[in-house]
Amino acid sequence: MAIQIVMDRTGDSRHPFNPDDVQEVAKAEQRFYELTKAGFTAAVRTSSGQTSQIRMFDATAEQTLFFPRLVGG
Amino acid sequence: MFGFRPLLPGARSRLRATRSLFIRHGAEGTPEGRSLRLLQQWLSPSQREQFGRRGYFEVVGSDSGKRYRIHAGASVNVCEIDERGRLQEGLCFMPIGALPIGDVMLAQKIALETCEDKARAVARRFTPNGFHFRQTRPLG
């Protein structure tokens, strides 16, 4: 199972999906673009433990993390 | 007389383990606890070790290669450091929304590691002093 993790005031909301299920992947892809269009940044972890930002949906990513737009404090 | 009975061998450690499980479960049930757990999962092994030992972790900026120290906190908690680890310019930026502390720190880490210039562009500058990064200061 792959998972999309969206940061929110409860900590996070989790949306698992089966990367082999076409319908679930389509739903996850839709969520990805809705969130990034709304200003969220999407990031994945590489096998070495490094993080990288992604701009295109990646169904093979085990975990995709979304955080809201940054502002100055 | 009072109904006290000696504990069976191993019972004390089981009690302790049960208690710590309750505490951990309780903490992880809160937004702060869940966000800190997520942060731990996304830190690199060296960052996790540093955070556990010192209460902060360091990241390398994706564009300049500069090093930054992210302290526990949700604002006024990021500072650029020089090659000797001395505090330089403080950066104050965070994701919008009232996110719990672990989420804020994780967003700051990812932003500096993947889009440093963007994070620096929105950040408010401050001159760091001892109070900003005291471990006992109120978080937030």
Side-chain angles (χ1 to χ4, degrees):
Chain A
M1 287 295 267
I3 193 162
Q4 292 177 319
I5 303 170
V6 186
M7 287 185 187
D8 58 29
R9 58 180 59 203
T10 69
D12 58 70
S13 299
R14 293 174 180 241
H15 306 277
F17 65 95
N18 180 353
D20 298 322
D21 185 315
V22 179
Q23 283 189 337
E24 288 190 19
V25 170
K27 204 171 159 186
E29 185 172 12
Q30 188 186 348
R31 185 181 299 112
F32 180 94
Y33 289 112
E34 280 174 2
L35 286 166
T36 50
K37 197 176 168 188
F40 279 74
T41 298
V44 294
R45 264 187 310 182
T46 62
S47 51
S48 61
Q50 293 298 307
T51 51
S52 63
Q53 198 183 131
I54 56 168
R55 290 181 176 80
M56 305 281 284
F57 174 68
D58 180 2
T60 64
E62 208 172 290
Q63 282 190 12
T64 307
L65 179 70
F66 298 87
F67 64 85
R69 188 166 52 87
L70 296 172
V71 291
Chain B
M1 172 179 172
F2 295 107
F4 292 121
R5 277 178 290 178
L7 291 171
L8 295 170
R12 193 177 299 278
S13 64
R14 275 197 298 277
L15 274 176
R16 200 176 298 131
T18 307
R19 185 167 173 269
S20 79
L21 199 64
F22 269 108
I23 291 170
R24 186 183 302 176
H25 179 73
E28 285 178 1
T30 65
E32 282 71 23
R34 294 180 66 214
S35 70
L36 287 168
R37 188 174 176 207
L38 183 66
L39 172 66
Q40 292 277 358
Q41 288 168 355
W42 277 68
L43 291 177
S44 70
S46 61
Q47 289 171 335
R48 199 176 303 131
E49 191 269 335
Q50 191 177 34
F51 186 42
R53 200 157 40 88
R54 298 185 183 272
Y56 61 73
F57 57 88
E58 290 171 7
V59 302
V60 176
S62 58
D63 298 309
S64 68
K66 288 177 179 171
R67 285 165 62 214
Y68 299 90
R69 194 169 283 171
I70 300 178
H71 291 257
S75 65
V76 204
N77 65 317
V78 180
C79 193
E80 185 187 323
I81 54 171
D82 67 12
E83 65 282 357
R84 290 186 177 180
R86 289 177 300 205
L87 302 178
Q88 302 295 303
E89 188 176 48
L91 299 174
C92 184
F93 66 99
M94 71 281 290
I96 57 168
L99 297 183
I101 191 169
D103 282 356
V104 173
M105 294 168 70
L106 180 53
Q108 290 168 333
K109 162 193 151 68
I110 295 172
L112 289 169
E113 287 180 340
T114 65
C115 50
E116 179 192 8
D117 285 347
K118 211 168 112 185
R120 288 187 68 95
V122 299
R124 182 177 62 83
R125 269 49 173 187
F126 66 95
T127 305
N129 61 37
F131 173 77
H132 289 126
F133 304 126
R134 255 199 337 222
Q135 287 207 13
T136 52
R137 80 172 180 134
L139 300 176

